[in-house]
């Protein structure tokens, strides 16, 4: 049976692994402590924060079906906050998000989806893949600590585009397209309060500020009770300030948050800032997945389509469908 190495246990990597099914032996390598990638949850008891993706929508039939199965498994629920559009402090529009146009979240945290999708798969956590060498007609993976992770017939990289470009050999047929793909950064500010706070909305898009989004994380279904807020910086602010010290960035974003919401971070019982170097990407017009059949290399992820959870799924499904057919056609090679 062919062996397939998948780098990254975010939604794209896990979706590829699940959908190539028994047509190959798939091993997923993930550098973090848990699966889920940017569908992430930071736990700091008694607080918990979805500091990456906030929610998702489902439009394509295949993704709608997948989300339905996640709902049935109890790892996804509909979030129905009061939603506001703000011009700094001023509410310019308001509405309730309802079940007719559902906004989904993982429960009890966004990272639960990754955990659920990992079950039954061979996922090697805390295993950063550092380099890749050609070996026979396959690929040998080397970990950051120098460990030999094995030789595989196919190598699939689902890391954000810049990291994928650094890992894949320059001989990869789509290396240029990959290197040219620019993702945008984001800072996530997390505030936890033992005493509840009052806000007239639970989710807000913000204009004319260095923060673009604020949510009452504790208003999502099945979250711990203490009041928690997540605020995201604009991508433009993050890209301009990416390597500045977190402390000064946190101060500035707390001041922006106070101005927009009236909530002062100095009353918070928990306050932390997370740096996402590769968070989002605008809509792309290229292929839904990058496949080099000759070298048996491929890359996929949200960045092929748009910085959305549904895009990560669609990109991965495009690749998985290709691989299922290719793997059934080809026999595994013999490696040196
Ligand atoms: C702040 C923020 C807010 C967002 N908000 C939303 C939202 O509200 N709605 C929405 O739909 N989407 C949102 N997104 C985007 C959404 O999170 C992504 O589209 C989606 O999670 C991408 O999944 P992926 O599998 O393509 O990539 P990722 O989730 O990034 O997975 C890639 C994985 O590869 C791993 N990895 C990287 N390099 C290596 C290596 N060398 N070795 C081993 N492992 C490696 C990483 O650790 C990661 O787990 C947001 C993202 C961020 C950061």
């Amino acid at each position: 049976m062919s062996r397939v190495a998948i780098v990254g246990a975010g939604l794209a990597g896990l979706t590829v692994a699940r959908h190539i099914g028994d047509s190959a032996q798939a091993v997923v390598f993930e550098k973090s402590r848990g699966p889920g990638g940017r569908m992430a949850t930071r736990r700091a008891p008694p607080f918990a924060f979805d500091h990456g993706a906030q929610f998702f929508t489902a439009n394509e039939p295949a993704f709608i079906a997948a989300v339905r199965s996640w709902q049935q498994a109890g790892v996804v629920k509909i979030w129905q906050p009061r939603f506001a559009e703000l011009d700094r402090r001023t509410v310019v529009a308001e509405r309730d998000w309802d079940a007719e146009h559902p906004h989904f979240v993982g429960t009890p945290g966004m990272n639960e989806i990754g955990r659920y999708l990992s079950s039954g798969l061979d996922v090697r956590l805390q295993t950063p893949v550092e380099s890749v060498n050609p070996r026979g007609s396959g690929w040998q993976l080397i970990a950051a600590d120098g460990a030999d992770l094995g030789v595989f017939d196919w190598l699939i990289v689902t890391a954000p585009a810049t990291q994928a470009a650094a890992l894949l050999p320059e001989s990869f047929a789509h290396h240029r397209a990959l290197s040219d793909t620019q993702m945008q950064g984001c800072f996530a500010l997390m505030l936890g309060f033992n005493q509840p706070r009052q806000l007239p909305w639970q989710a807000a898009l913000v204009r004319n500020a260095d923060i673009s989004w604020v949510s009452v994380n504790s208003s999502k279904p099945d979250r711990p009770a203490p009041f928690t807020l997540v605020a995201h910086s604009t991508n433009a602010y993050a890209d301009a300030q990416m390597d500045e010290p977190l402390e000064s960035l946190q101060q500035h974003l707390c001041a922006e948050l106070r101005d927009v919401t009236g909530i002062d971070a100095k009353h918070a019982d928990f306050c932390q800032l997370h740096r996402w170097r590769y968070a989002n990407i605008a809509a792309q017009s290229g292929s839904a997945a990058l496949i080099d059949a000759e070298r048996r290399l491929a890359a996929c992820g949200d960045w092929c389509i748009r910085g959305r959870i549904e895009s990560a799924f669609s990109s991965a499904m495009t690749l998985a469908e290709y691989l299922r057919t290719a793997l059934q056609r080809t026999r595994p090679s013999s490696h040196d």
Side-chain angles (χ1 to χ4, degrees):
M1 182 176 270
S2 296
R3 298 188 77 216
V4 177
I6 299 171
V7 177
L11 180 58
L14 296 173
T15 300
V16 173
R18 289 180 80 86
H19 284 84
I20 57 176
D22 53 13
S23 50
Q25 184 196 348
V27 182
V28 184
F29 297 100
E30 169 55 51
K31 68 179 178 185
S32 307
R33 276 182 303 162
R38 280 171 276 155
M39 295 192 304
T41 304
R42 169 86 38 94
R43 288 192 169 77
F47 307 113
F49 308 87
D50 299 323
H51 59 304
Q54 296 295 290
F55 64 87
F56 57 96
T57 51
N59 297 297
E60 298 293 326
F63 191 54
I64 291 171
V67 174
R68 197 167 295 136
S69 72
W70 302 347
Q71 280 181 286
Q72 280 159 2
V75 292
V76 158
K77 287 189 178 168
I78 296 173
W79 180 36
Q80 295 183 265
R82 180 81 178 152
F83 170 75
E85 289 177 44
L86 307 179
D87 189 334
R88 289 199 76 85
R89 212 170 245 254
T90 310
V91 176
V92 292
E94 262 188 293
R95 61 185 177 277
D96 289 322
W97 279 356
D98 57 26
E100 210 175 313
H101 305 285
H103 295 73
F104 299 99
V105 294
T107 53
M110 286 299 287
N111 69 339
E112 195 59 29
I113 301 167
R115 216 180 298 186
Y116 170 72
L117 294 176
S118 301
S119 80
L121 296 177
D122 184 351
V123 180
R124 318 264 171 98
L125 297 173
Q126 294 183 287
T127 310
V129 179
E130 178 79 8
S131 59
V132 169
N133 303 316
R135 189 52 62 91
S137 59
W139 298 98
Q140 178 193 33
L141 272 58
I142 305 292
D145 63 3
D148 179 354
L149 298 172
V151 178
F152 296 84
D153 298 290
W154 271 89
L155 168 62
I156 313 299
V157 181
T158 71
T162 309
Q163 295 170 328
L167 190 58
L168 280 158
E170 283 186 12
S171 59
F172 177 48
H174 307 283
H175 204 274
R176 183 67 188 272
L178 194 54
S179 309
D180 287 347
T181 303
Q182 299 276 330
M183 295 185 69
Q184 298 169 301
C186 179
F187 293 109
L189 180 64
M190 296 162 267
L191 295 180
F193 298 84
N194 287 319
Q195 297 302 320
R197 304 274 137 178
Q198 292 306 319
L199 277 176
W201 41 260
Q202 289 91 40
L205 275 181
V206 187
R207 285 186 222 142
N208 294 317
D210 288 333
I211 52 176
S212 58
W213 166 264
V214 184
S215 70
V216 179
N217 199 84
S218 45
S219 73
K220 295 178 180 177
D222 301 343
R223 265 53 182 180
F227 183 91
T228 47
L229 278 183
V230 172
H232 283 160
S233 74
T234 62
N235 298 129
Y237 177 80
D239 287 342
Q241 309 290 330
M242 186 49 70
D243 293 310
E244 296 302 316
L246 283 180
E247 215 176 11
S248 58
L249 298 170
Q250 183 169 313
Q251 258 176 26
H252 174 70
L253 292 171
C254 283
E256 287 286 275
L257 183 74
R258 186 180 59 234
D259 205 45
V260 165
T261 63
I263 291 181
D264 196 330
K266 74 171 184 253
H267 301 305
D269 299 289
F270 177 90
C271 182
Q272 206 173 72
L273 192 70
H274 181 84
R275 188 193 323 261
W276 292 102
R277 192 171 291 276
Y278 308 111
N280 300 107
I281 189 163
Q284 302 292 295
S285 57
S287 311
L290 304 181
I291 302 167
D292 182 342
E294 192 187 331
R295 292 176 188 79
R296 298 185 187 176
L297 295 170
C300 72
D302 63 336
W303 47 267
C304 288
I305 302 174
R306 193 183 173 199
R308 291 283 181 276
I309 286 175
E310 178 162 14
S311 304
F313 178 85
S314 302
S315 173
M317 287 298 280
T318 302
L319 178 54
E321 273 157 28
Y322 171 86
L323 279 175
R324 278 182 75 93
T325 314
L327 289 164
Q328 277 155 13
R329 266 201 321 258
T330 54
R331 303 170 78 98
S333 55
S334 60
H335 306 297
D336 291 345

